[in-house]
Amino acid sequence: MIFMVLMIVVPIVMTLAFSLTDWNLLTGRAPSFNGLANYIEILKSPDFWHSFGITFYYTFLAIAMELVAGVLLAVLINKDFRGKGVVKTIILLPYMMAPVAVGMMWMLFYEPTSGFMNWLFTTIGLPRSGFTSARGSVIPSLAFVEFWQMTPMVVIVCMAGLAALPEDCMEAAVVDGATPIQTFFRVKLPMLLPTIFSIGLLRFVDVFKSFDLIYAMTKGGPANASRTLNIYAYEEAFSYYKFGLSSSILTVVFIIVLAISFATMKLKNKVVEV
């Protein structure tokens, strides 16, 4: 409890307190209370809403890919076959890597002139792409890297959920003549929904506040096309020294994550009851 208070509660309370001040290192003045002025300023700022949209776009793409691929891989790996241990190890390898290292590696893959991805695109007859150097492709490119690294986490959790499912239901479906596809969609998937909701919520919280991977790869560029809310808050604090304004942005991020988490839990309870 002491650790939780010191490492979580205290920083949250301090961030909330700073968000109600005009703390700016460039002025040379001590922070003074300014009420909701910072919140009014950011809610009126086009930059804030631009970053807001980018954050949700990035989060939706990454989570959608992770959940679909994670559930399918978990179902496939859950079967008995030769080399299962090797396959599981290969799938889990990206999850063991540091996000900054992953970002630097994929920047080499995405290099427009001599990178592996454009070589692959050219080989299979697809047009070359700018990936992280083009405004239109930077967010999908970043989301794919997030998906590549973090899908193993979804696989692990879904495999645990599949292992806990009762065998009686699957056996009854087979006896009734259900095909493997029907068994998956009518039996396994409904019973796996609580697990999918749980890992989906965990991944939403993690992706929505993502910073290290994006900063390592693009630093919010090109032309702020990948500047998420966390990158925006970082720039306001450490480029313009507006710590009060930055704290208000982070407080809004915290409120959004909290609200969506509660809504997801409510939806999960309703779906599970049905």
Side-chain angles (χ1 to χ4, degrees):
M1 288 298 295
I2 293 173
F3 177 82
M4 293 289 287
V5 169
L6 291 178
M7 300 303 295
I8 298 178
V9 178
V10 171
I12 290 175
V13 173
M14 290 180 65
T15 302
L16 178 59
F18 291 148
S19 72
L20 301 175
T21 69
D22 61 354
W23 188 14
N24 187 335
L25 291 184
L26 294 180
T27 63
R29 299 193 306 267
S32 59
F33 180 77
N34 67 350
L36 299 176
N38 290 329
Y39 293 96
I40 295 173
E41 181 177 347
I42 64 171
L43 292 177
K44 289 182 178 180
S45 170
D47 290 337
F48 171 82
W49 292 110
H50 175 71
S51 296
F52 181 88
I54 288 173
T55 305
F56 272 98
Y57 178 32
Y58 172 74
T59 303
F60 173 78
L61 278 182
I63 292 178
M65 290 189 292
E66 288 175 20
L67 290 182
V68 172
V71 172
L72 292 178
L73 283 172
V75 171
L76 292 174
I77 297 174
N78 197 49
K79 302 179 181 295
D80 292 324
F81 57 90
R82 289 187 63 183
K84 180 177 178 179
V86 176
V87 173
K88 288 170 65 176
T89 302
I90 293 173
I91 289 176
L92 293 177
L93 282 176
Y95 184 52
M96 302 175 187
M97 300 174 66
V100 174
V102 170
M104 300 306 294
M105 180 184 73
W106 274 91
M107 282 301 290
L108 295 175
F109 289 166
Y110 282 153
E111 207 281 323
T113 56
S114 58
F116 170 76
M117 294 302 293
N118 268 331
W119 171 84
L120 180 63
F121 277 25
T122 304
T123 301
I124 62 179
L126 294 176
R128 299 172 70 88
S129 172
F131 296 110
T132 55
S133 60
R135 288 178 58 90
S137 60
V138 61
I139 291 298
S141 299
L142 290 170
F144 182 81
V145 178
E146 182 83 37
F147 152 76
W148 178 84
Q149 183 182 22
M150 299 308 298
T151 297
M153 178 183 178
V154 181
V155 174
I156 294 170
V157 175
C158 289
M159 285 186 67
L162 287 169
L165 296 182
E167 291 293 332
D168 297 346
C169 297
M170 264 68 78
E171 292 173 358
V174 173
V175 171
D176 290 341
T179 64
I181 294 178
Q182 289 174 327
T183 302
F184 173 73
F185 283 104
R186 299 293 184 89
V187 182
K188 287 185 179 180
L189 191 59
M191 290 194 296
L192 197 60
L193 278 180
T195 302
I196 295 174
F197 266 101
S198 298
I199 187 58
L201 179 57
L202 289 174
R203 292 303 303 134
F204 164 77
V205 173
D206 198 30
V207 176
F208 194 84
K209 61 183 181 63
S210 179
F211 174 84
D212 42 10
L213 180 67
I214 300 173
Y215 192 78
M217 294 186 69
T218 65
K219 292 182 174 60
N224 296 330
S226 63
R227 188 175 67 176
T228 60
L229 287 173
N230 270 349
I231 300 288
Y232 180 38
Y234 176 85
E235 289 182 354
E236 290 296 326
F238 297 102
S239 295
Y240 306 110
Y241 303 104
K242 298 178 181 179
F243 287 94
L245 193 67
S246 176
S247 297
S248 64
I249 297 170
L250 294 176
T251 302
V252 170
V253 171
F254 175 74
I255 292 172
I256 292 172
V257 170
L258 202 62
I260 293 180
S261 298
F262 276 119
T264 303
M265 294 304 295
K266 289 286 187 183
L267 179 61
K268 173 188 172 182
N269 292 336
K270 288 184 179 180
V271 170
V272 171
E273 287 175 3
V274 171

